[in-house]
Amino acid sequence: MQEQLREAAEQARTAIAACQTNNDILNAKARYLGKKSLVNSLYGKLKDIPPEDKPAFGQAINELRAGIEKLLAERELELKDRLQEEQDAAQAQDLSLPGNFRPRGSLHPLTIIRRRIEDIFMGLGFEIAEGPDIDDEFHNFDALNTPPDHPSRNLADTFYLENGCLLRTQTSTVQVRVMEKYPPPIHIISPGRCYRNDKPDPSHSPVFHQLEALVVDKGVSMADLKDTLQNFAQIMFGEDVRSRIRPHFFPFTEPSAEMDISCVSCQGKGCRVCKNSGWLELGGAGMVDPAVFKMLGIDPEIYSGYALGFGVERIAMLKYNIPDMRILFENDVRMLRQFSGEVL
Amino acid sequence: MIISCRWLSRYIELPADLNLLVQTLTFSGIEVEAVKPLPELPAGVVAAKVLSAEPIPGTDHLQVCSVEFGAGEPAQVVCGAPNCKAGMISVLALPGTELPGLTIKTATLRGVESRGMLCSERELGLSDNHAGIIELDASTPAGSSVNEIYELPDTILELEITPNRPDLLGYTGIARDLSASLGKPLRLPPVEHLPGEPSEETALTLVLEDPLKCPRYTARLLDGVNVKESPQWLKTALVKSGLRPINNIVDVTNFVMLELGHPLHAFDYGKLQPLDPSDGHPAVVARQARPEEEFVALDGKNLRLNPGDLVIADGRDASALAGVMGGKDTAISAATTSIVLEAACFQPGSIRATSYKHKLSTDSSYRFERHLSPHYVDLVSDRAVQLFLETAGGKVCNELYDAWPEPLKPRYLAVRPCRFRQLIGYELAGEEIIRYLEALGCEFIQYGAWIDGLIEDTSLIHCHHLEEEKAGKTEFSEIDCVHSLFFRIPPQRVDITREADLLEELARLAGYERIPRKKEAPRIMDRHAFRIRRGIEDWFADASFHETLNYSFCDPAQLADLALEPAETEAKLFRLVNPQSSNQSAMRITLLPQLLDNLRYNLNHGERNLKLMELGKVYLKEGDSQAEYLSFAAVLTGKMDPEHWSAAGKAIDFYQVKGLVEGLLRLLGVQETNTAALERPWLSAGDNLGFYAEDRVIASCGRLKTRVAQNFGIDLTLLKQDIWVIELDVDLLIDLTRGREKIFRELPRHPAVTRDLSFLIKTGVAYAEIAAAIKAVNPDLIRDVSIFDQYLGQQVPEGFRSMSLRIVVQDSEKTLTDERVDQVLASVREMLFRAWQINMR
Ligand SMILES: [Zn+2]
């Protein structure tokens, strides 16, 4: 009896697996589960079975029936899926046609660079502070220890407005305003527009963007300045970039320095961009002059600080290899569009 | 761990203010998870003796009792508790007594009057035990004050003990820690070692087979003990700590476990078999279980043990699953007269494995899993013996049986004040370090040169200081020397093995609140403005605008090109003293002229679809002073989307431009703006819209006048395209959204129903007006109104348009029935007819 059941199951399995169409399935259903099927005839034999074996035999037939039903259902689904796939394949389109999307516009390269610098410094724990473009002589010159007869105060260098105000020549004005308002410790960067009475040329623009960093705290030294410069240079231009500082003069820092980075174009070997020096000038820096602190009511015996600053245009031109600063203010969409793909 | 404050106060004087105690515990690293006050019980609750208890016929468990309660005639009380029997002392609540959530009244049960209630612990709020009525010590006189018996009022604290602090798993451990943090003396219970009487008759054979899993095993024998119920003070102590009294022997082992944190076990000496039947003395063997060894635990469960499980066996069978649970066969019973007291120490890993394998977690296994020190085992044993003699009588036989193959060596650690400063952030003086650590049980040895790690020998501690002092020097060369403090570590603090552990203890006990903040830097940055500004830039860049940057100057002549009144502009205009040219002779007051210049420049280069924007400052003269505002402007022309083979591109229309503004306002979370037509001399009269918030224009959009375009050199008739303009007041948007927080709104629990309405309406009635009127019909139920079609075709009569609206109806409280929705829609139709004579199509 067991043998007979197993054989029936095996037979049905083979036949169902061979079904290729819906019709085949219907036929198999009739043959293995219908009135004249083996399963049905087995039910008929139940009456001949000894009563004690009846439950076990009955269950075995039920299981056989359920097994066949399951196989049929599975095969039916398989055939349906195959049919669908065949239909889909027949309706294939020209997948090489371009997709449809609205392209992103772009942020201005100076905005992209400004954001990058902001993000780098924010990651280093700096806050962003902003101030007015139109400022007075006190914040732009006096508070920054610039002598009254200093040439940078000339009309040839600085734009003045009819009411006696001026357009700031550096964002150091913001540093002054922050130190007036907040007690140390201060860790800020101040990005913004600056103005100098220069005729536009490949490396000058009467309107340009600057970014300065200022740190005032206990125990701040030039070593911290070097750290910040090196961190910034590597994050901005790549891990291989080196940086250095050279003695220089600014009225509001003492000691003062110029900051250089190794040439990003030739990796310091010497090329046209770096005029064969291997180094590119990045901007100015130094330790805040005690006179500046005193003027703002900060005790230079307790606090020390450093400031550094550079032009955003210069960074953008180095970063993107833009040869002429004027290109940045032409707003030609053929230039702007190139920055659509910039992942910020 | 559950702690009674009254019990705890035996070992240390607690602060009178409960909050201060909770605060002190919490900030020394012992988290208080719950504070449960046990208030005084009312006067109507008294100790009472059950004189008689007779079953009430026809009930299966009720008894009528005569109860003496120390005043007047005995009371008749009906009681259903299974343990209620004549002779017992229980607690009676008299009629009129208020218990938590229950007022006792004289009542009649099954025709029998009951004048009061015999109470369970739960009914008095003492514990969760409600299995039966309270059974007080039989010697308690009827009428005694229950508040005295239970030491009420009291406060129960539920403490979370971190796994690194096994020393806190008993009252004295908590008290020791509090003594360190509160600076109050610790009052340990006086424990005396009682010598036993030598006895050959009552003696034991102790075998420690597995010193790895059982580093120390001690046993003590007591003979002639009287097993009975515990005295009331012992019962009270256990009940308040969440345990149930069983008998005096078991209760004492539990009491000592709670008091000292170290579990104990007592065997019935008479049930223990010798190793060899001929040789007599019962045996206690600490060994691995045999394969498939059978064991019946105290709770009646049959366990099948295997090697790996450590058992305490007699000469034949396992009598206990070591450190986890005792066995049924050797348990203390009323018939027990002599006992073996086990005080031992087991390896945590082994206990954990066995406890996990057999799914048996007990107060004992919980403690042993956390690494208890073997050092105090004899002290714990002495304490229990003392209490056995006090509560059960009998005598101690022989000395302590003590198997301790490898006694602990003393451990010494150094701690550097300079390291504390470096790691924790402030100075802690040497004297303070000594005070805190000695309160924890550490012993200060001396100052010395720094040695890293545990040392076992104090002769290693070298001190230049002393030598140099002897040599008459006053300046010391070795700075480390005077800066390290050496301590002997108390054996129960198995968790202290490095300087870092001592530093943690010091920081914790001195209080984390003492740690100073290093730099309180002022918050300077306007983060909100920063986010809004970037949000606007990104929104338009994502919508395919290109950002331009133009000089901050302007050409005053171009302002006239925008059709602005010269007199009006001149008042706002700042002129430069030294401009480079006349077309850069003033500060800009609008971004638009430069954007139109940019547009012309790019049109001249053959570009046709252009979207340009700038976000930047404008500079206005305000009287004698100046003001700088962040402004935004955008110009767009041509097609919104690039040419694509699948569809013909559509020229930018008003609704796309408006949508850009609406989308941005939604992005920034600006809601409830009103819109109205706007007077801008450069925008054409029909297609322009202002977005108002509090009567100020925050945004505008519209179509540039052909004339104005002409002024900027763009011929629209030739171009055959419109130029659209968007302007934003960025400062206003920043102010408007400042301080707003995103708050998640609970999702609606009931389904929304959507209904569509189509109708004809006279031109001139604004959609927004209709939508608002519909919402106003039932603001609670009408969630949303939107338009999904508008038609102005041939079938629509002159002077009308066809509108199709979708109305979403939803009730936050319940699922709406169709009838209710129909009612709402009927009111909407009625309103539409009344207001605009609209008939539905
Ligand atoms: Zn180079």
Side-chain angles (χ1 to χ4, degrees):
Chain A
M1 230 22 157
Q2 290 299 329
E3 188 57 34
Q4 210 174 342
L5 282 172
R6 203 167 39 240
E7 209 169 289
E10 195 45 51
Q11 230 178 60
R13 185 192 311 280
T14 320
I16 292 167
C19 288
Q20 294 302 325
T21 64
N22 250 353
N23 241 354
D24 293 350
I25 295 276
L26 287 176
N27 290 338
K29 211 176 249 177
R31 194 154 148 220
Y32 294 102
L33 296 176
K35 273 203 177 112
K36 288 177 185 167
S37 67
L38 176 69
V39 173
N40 232 17
S41 72
L42 284 172
Y43 279 118
K45 283 186 188 156
L46 256 180
K47 61 182 192 300
D48 307 330
I49 302 284
E52 66 272 22
D53 291 344
K54 251 181 202 168
F57 186 67
Q59 199 192 340
I61 308 173
N62 283 340
E63 275 168 18
L64 173 65
R65 187 184 176 88
I68 293 173
E69 276 169 352
K70 186 161 171 268
L71 283 172
L72 277 166
E74 280 169 4
R75 185 63 187 158
E76 202 174 346
L77 260 183
E78 270 173 33
L79 290 177
K80 212 178 250 171
D81 284 353
R82 202 167 74 188
L83 192 69
Q84 183 68 50
E85 269 171 39
E86 281 166 7
Q87 281 173 2
D88 289 351
Q91 289 168 4
Q93 318 179 54
D94 178 359
L95 301 182
S96 72
L97 284 169
N100 198 354
F101 72 108
R102 180 183 294 173
R104 190 173 176 276
S106 60
L107 296 178
H108 195 280
L110 290 176
T111 300
I112 294 170
I113 291 295
R114 195 199 70 222
R115 284 188 178 195
R116 282 203 173 185
I117 301 171
E118 287 172 350
D119 292 346
I120 291 170
F121 277 96
M122 282 197 285
L124 296 173
F126 285 75
E127 303 237 319
I128 297 175
E130 283 172 301
D133 296 13
I134 303 175
D135 215 322
D136 49 35
E137 289 209 50
F138 173 76
H139 288 96
N140 198 69
F141 293 123
D142 301 344
L144 292 165
N145 207 26
T146 315
D149 52 356
H150 195 272
S152 64
R153 297 192 188 224
N154 284 346
L155 283 171
D157 283 338
T158 303
F159 287 113
Y160 286 86
L161 294 172
E162 47 192 337
N163 67 345
C165 283
L166 51 76
L167 297 179
R168 64 178 175 194
T169 58
Q170 62 221 351
T171 52
S172 312
T173 52
V174 181
Q175 305 180 7
V176 174
R177 288 176 178 278
V178 167
M179 284 192 279
E180 279 174 340
K181 196 167 164 195
Y182 299 100
I186 291 167
H187 290 72
I188 54 155
I189 54 165
S190 46
R193 289 190 169 200
C194 297
Y195 306 83
R196 286 184 199 169
N197 203 345
D198 296 322
K199 289 280 175 202
D201 71 21
S203 56
H204 292 91
S205 170
V207 180
F208 61 100
H209 297 78
Q210 215 187 32
L211 192 139
E212 292 200 8
L214 171 73
V215 170
V216 181
D217 204 346
K218 289 175 188 161
V220 176
S221 70
M222 265 181 118
D224 298 300
L225 161 61
K226 267 192 143 175
D227 269 353
T228 304
L229 167 63
Q230 181 62 23
N231 278 327
F232 169 75
Q234 284 184 306
I235 301 170
M236 191 75 208
F237 293 105
E239 290 302 312
D240 297 333
V241 168
R242 286 160 293 130
S243 65
R244 68 176 189 190
I245 53 177
R246 288 178 282 111
H248 197 74
F249 170 75
F250 299 108
F252 42 91
T253 48
E254 186 88 8
S256 301
E258 290 254 272
M259 303 182 290
D260 294 338
I261 55 166
S262 56
C263 179
V264 291
S265 181
C266 64
Q267 282 76 45
K269 289 185 213 54
C271 69
R272 198 179 45 82
V273 177
C274 58
K275 303 191 184 84
N276 285 318
S277 70
W279 292 95
L280 296 168
E281 200 181 306
L282 198 66
M287 302 306 291
V288 180
D289 196 296
V292 173
F293 276 150
K294 274 190 188 143
M295 201 152 0
L296 297 166
I298 293 171
D299 186 347
E301 288 302 310
I302 299 175
Y303 291 103
S304 56
Y306 67 83
L308 59 89
F310 38 76
V312 179
E313 282 79 2
R314 172 136 181 92
I315 307 277
M317 288 163 76
L318 286 173
K319 185 87 188 154
Y320 298 126
N321 206 11
I322 296 171
D324 189 324
M325 202 182 283
R326 289 170 295 191
I327 294 174
L328 290 168
F329 294 98
E330 265 171 10
N331 298 311
D332 190 319
V333 290
R334 292 168 300 179
M335 184 277 284
L336 298 174
R337 206 175 276 131
Q338 293 182 30
F339 293 89
S340 296
E342 186 69 21
V343 174
L344 294 176
Chain B
M1 185 153 159
I2 294 167
I3 289 281
S4 144
C5 287
R6 290 282 282 257
W7 184 357
L8 184 61
S9 66
R10 290 184 203 181
Y11 312 113
I12 182 165
E13 185 196 330
L14 295 178
D17 179 4
L18 177 66
N19 284 334
L20 181 62
L21 175 63
V22 170
Q23 190 88 353
T24 307
L25 285 167
T26 303
F27 283 92
S28 59
I30 305 168
E31 199 181 320
V32 180
E33 289 189 314
V35 177
K36 186 182 150 206
L38 291 186
E40 238 174 334
L41 289 166
V45 182
V46 288
K49 180 164 191 175
V50 180
L51 299 174
S52 65
E54 301 295 336
I56 299 176
T59 69
D60 53 356
H61 60 287
L62 291 183
Q63 300 187 82
V64 55
C65 309
S66 173
V67 180
E68 182 199 334
F69 59 95
E73 288 297 301
Q76 174 173 302
V77 172
V78 175
C79 181
N83 64 334
C84 177
K85 58 182 186 292
M88 76 186 292
I89 308 283
S90 188
V91 173
L92 177 68
L94 292 163
T97 307
E98 301 266 351
L99 291 179
L102 173 75
T103 303
I104 308 299
K105 289 190 193 109
T106 301
T108 306
L109 288 132
R110 300 295 180 98
V112 182
E113 193 186 49
S114 181
R115 309 180 64 86
M117 183 178 83
L118 291 166
C119 305
S120 72
E121 285 169 7
R122 192 172 82 185
E123 280 153 347
L124 297 184
L126 292 170
S127 80
D128 293 337
N129 190 357
H130 194 50
I133 54 172
I134 292 172
E135 293 188 65
L136 294 175
D137 179 356
S139 66
T140 314
S144 307
S145 155
V146 177
N147 287 324
E148 270 170 38
I149 292 168
Y150 281 111
E151 299 184 339
L152 298 174
D154 195 355
T155 305
I156 303 298
L157 301 179
E158 217 180 301
L159 304 181
E160 190 201 331
I161 308 299
T162 52
N164 61 324
R165 294 298 303 274
D167 64 300
L168 295 179
L169 294 172
Y171 276 87
T172 52
I174 307 271
R176 179 178 287 109
D177 215 74
L178 277 174
S179 135
S181 46
L182 290 171
K184 291 266 170 67
L186 178 66
R187 298 186 296 240
L188 289 175
V191 183
E192 203 186 331
H193 178 74
L194 296 169
E197 288 174 29
S199 164
E200 186 51 34
E201 200 180 326
T202 310
L204 194 71
T205 305
L206 174 61
V207 184
L208 175 54
E209 280 188 9
D210 193 338
L212 215 68
K213 287 191 169 162
C214 176
R216 187 179 187 186
Y217 195 94
T218 73
R220 204 84 210 263
L221 297 184
L222 280 94
D223 191 19
V225 295
N226 181 10
V227 179
K228 55 180 182 179
E229 67 168 336
S230 294
Q232 190 54 46
W233 67 265
L234 183 49
K235 286 186 176 186
T236 297
L238 296 183
V239 163
K240 287 212 204 150
S241 292
L243 295 185
R244 289 187 192 181
I246 293 165
N247 58 47
N248 49 358
I249 302 299
V250 175
D251 291 354
V252 163
T253 60
N254 280 334
F255 179 86
V256 175
M257 172 182 77
L258 293 176
E259 183 178 58
L260 302 177
H262 199 110
L264 296 163
H265 186 64
F267 299 99
D268 186 337
Y269 176 77
K271 303 269 177 68
L272 297 178
Q273 302 296 321
L275 273 174
D276 180 349
S278 59
D279 128 63
H281 292 324
V284 165
V285 184
R287 61 161 167 83
Q288 302 233 350
R290 301 188 190 102
E292 302 288 302
E293 182 165 2
E294 304 228 3
F295 172 68
V296 184
L298 204 51
D299 60 1
K301 267 196 202 119
N302 284 294
L303 302 179
R304 202 168 285 273
L305 309 180
N306 269 309
D309 293 324
L310 185 75
V311 299
I312 307 302
D314 62 8
R316 244 181 18 215
D317 305 313
S319 336
L321 197 49
V324 180
M325 195 179 265
K328 201 174 166 78
D329 296 341
T330 55
I332 305 297
S333 70
T336 303
T337 56
S338 44
I339 60 169
V340 178
L341 172 70
E342 164 197 296
C345 186
F346 303 107
Q347 190 217 358
S350 159
I351 299 292
R352 198 175 300 123
T354 294
S355 161
Y356 179 78
K357 193 162 75 183
H358 299 292
K359 298 187 173 58
L360 276 177
S361 181
T362 60
D363 285 325
S364 171
S365 68
Y366 174 77
R367 285 174 171 79
F368 281 121
E369 276 173 22
R370 282 161 171 74
H371 200 158
L372 300 179
S373 167
H375 191 267
Y376 289 101
V377 163
D378 49 345
L379 178 109
V380 175
S381 177
D382 286 343
R383 175 63 171 157
V385 166
Q386 197 179 335
L387 293 174
F388 283 148
L389 294 179
E390 205 176 291
T391 61
K395 65 178 198 312
V396 189
C397 299
N398 296 318
E399 251 316 306
L400 178 77
Y401 295 85
D402 190 350
W404 194 10
E406 271 188 79
L408 290 180
K409 295 186 181 115
R411 299 172 301 147
Y412 302 90
L413 266 182
V415 62
R416 290 165 292 178
C418 61
R419 184 71 182 150
F420 183 89
R421 193 198 150 70
Q422 195 181 38
L423 190 75
I424 311 299
Y426 66 96
E427 300 278 359
L428 198 62
E431 305 87 76
E432 265 188 295
I433 293 180
I434 293 170
R435 183 159 61 75
Y436 282 125
L437 293 183
E438 290 208 318
L440 284 183
C442 296
E443 187 193 330
F444 177 60
I445 304 300
Q446 66 179 79
Y447 284 100
W450 168 243
I451 302 172
D452 188 14
L454 275 175
I455 57 169
E456 288 177 357
D457 186 355
T458 48
S459 71
L460 293 172
I461 306 170
H462 182 67
C463 185
H464 288 274
H465 188 155
L466 295 174
E467 284 172 18
E468 292 178 18
E469 211 166 24
K470 273 181 215 152
K473 287 185 191 169
T474 51
E475 300 272 321
F476 307 116
S477 53
E478 188 83 48
I479 200 157
D480 267 350
C481 168
V482 289
H483 279 203
S484 292
L485 290 84
F486 282 82
F487 290 90
R488 193 173 59 79
I489 306 304
Q492 80 272 17
R493 292 305 303 270
V494 290
D495 58 312
I496 298 180
T497 57
R498 302 161 305 164
E499 186 194 27
D501 301 325
L502 286 177
L503 293 174
E504 183 194 32
E505 294 299 304
L506 288 169
R508 178 175 74 80
L509 293 171
Y512 283 1
E513 68 277 4
R514 261 181 85 173
I515 300 167
R517 276 197 56 190
K518 223 172 164 185
K519 283 179 189 175
E520 285 190 62
R523 206 74 67 216
I524 296 168
M525 177 175 176
D526 186 349
R527 288 175 168 73
H528 173 70
F530 180 82
R531 267 197 302 276
I532 296 291
R533 187 180 164 161
R534 282 196 174 184
I536 294 171
E537 288 168 349
D538 286 338
W539 169 258
F540 283 97
D542 288 346
S544 71
F545 284 76
H546 294 288
E547 187 196 15
T548 64
L549 286 183
N550 291 288
Y551 287 175
S552 312
F553 307 128
C554 76
D555 180 353
Q558 282 195 324
L559 297 175
D561 292 341
L562 275 184
L564 281 165
E565 286 295 324
E568 200 182 314
T569 54
E570 199 54 43
K572 295 180 187 166
L573 214 54
F574 257 122
R575 289 186 187 271
L576 271 71
V577 172
N578 50 343
Q580 290 190 348
S581 65
S582 68
N583 60 11
Q584 293 177 4
S585 60
M587 300 305 287
R588 64 182 180 186
I589 60 169
T590 160
L591 303 175
L592 211 48
Q594 289 158 312
L595 277 170
L596 291 172
D597 283 343
N598 298 152
L599 196 69
R600 183 190 59 243
Y601 173 96
N602 285 294
L603 286 168
N604 290 346
H605 281 90
E607 297 285 338
R608 279 298 166 268
N609 301 320
L610 283 165
K611 294 182 214 162
L612 302 176
M613 59 153 161
E614 179 165 5
L615 192 155
K617 282 182 178 175
V618 293
Y619 309 81
L620 270 65
K621 184 150 77 178
E622 296 187 343
D624 284 337
S625 168
Q626 66 267 359
E628 299 178 13
Y629 297 103
L630 264 188
S631 187
F632 173 93
V635 293
L636 54 165
T637 186
K639 287 171 176 155
M640 187 59 94
D641 292 303
E643 298 278 328
H644 192 257
W645 55 268
S646 66
K650 198 166 150 281
I652 295 169
D653 65 29
F654 173 79
Y655 297 103
Q656 288 178 317
V657 179
K658 183 185 178 188
L660 283 165
V661 178
E662 287 174 328
L664 175 76
L665 294 180
R666 189 175 297 185
L667 175 80
L668 302 182
V670 180
Q671 291 139 347
E672 286 134 24
T673 51
N674 297 313
T675 54
L678 189 72
E679 289 291 313
R680 287 281 186 270
W682 55 87
L683 295 182
S684 68
D687 291 337
N688 70 72
L689 200 61
F691 292 75
Y692 293 82
E694 292 152 11
D695 296 331
R696 295 171 72 182
V697 180
I698 51 170
S700 66
C701 61
R703 190 159 52 80
L704 194 72
K705 280 181 180 161
T706 313
R707 261 291 304 282
V708 173
Q710 190 74 52
N711 292 343
F712 282 86
I714 304 167
D715 189 337
L716 290 185
T717 50
L718 264 165
L719 189 63
K720 297 191 176 69
Q721 287 178 193
D722 289 328
I723 294 173
W724 298 90
V725 176
I726 296 173
E727 285 178 283
L728 304 175
D729 187 330
V730 180
D731 283 322
L732 209 50
L733 283 170
I734 289 169
D735 283 350
L736 206 59
T737 49
R738 192 180 293 282
R740 288 197 186 168
E741 299 286 346
K742 191 93 183 153
I743 308 280
F744 169 74
R745 281 193 309 272
E746 207 64 58
L747 300 181
R749 272 181 236 164
H750 305 285
V753 180
T754 304
R755 292 286 170 89
D756 294 345
L757 285 181
S758 293
F759 49 82
L760 289 176
I761 175 124
K762 284 194 202 92
T763 47
V765 181
Y767 157 76
E769 207 180 325
I770 301 170
I774 292 175
K775 254 192 183 157
V777 166
N778 193 334
D780 293 334
L781 295 184
I782 299 179
R783 277 294 136 82
D784 191 40
V785 179
S786 58
I787 178 163
F788 65 94
D789 193 29
Q790 165 175 274
Y791 184 64
L792 297 142
Q794 288 179 327
Q795 291 93 337
V796 180
E798 187 73 22
F800 282 85
R801 59 177 161 154
S802 153
M803 230 181 230
S804 297
L805 303 189
R806 183 150 296 157
I807 297 172
V808 180
V809 189
Q810 191 173 35
D811 191 333
S812 56
E813 303 299 323
K814 55 185 180 291
T815 301
L816 287 172
T817 58
D818 281 351
E819 291 74 41
R820 186 78 187 98
V821 178
D822 289 343
Q823 272 174 17
V824 172
L825 264 290
S827 321
V828 168
R829 287 193 193 91
E830 195 193 317
M831 180 280 296
L832 288 173
F833 182 77
R834 224 175 32 230
W836 294 291
Q837 294 75 52
I838 291 171
N839 280 308
M840 290 309 127
R841 292 170 70 188

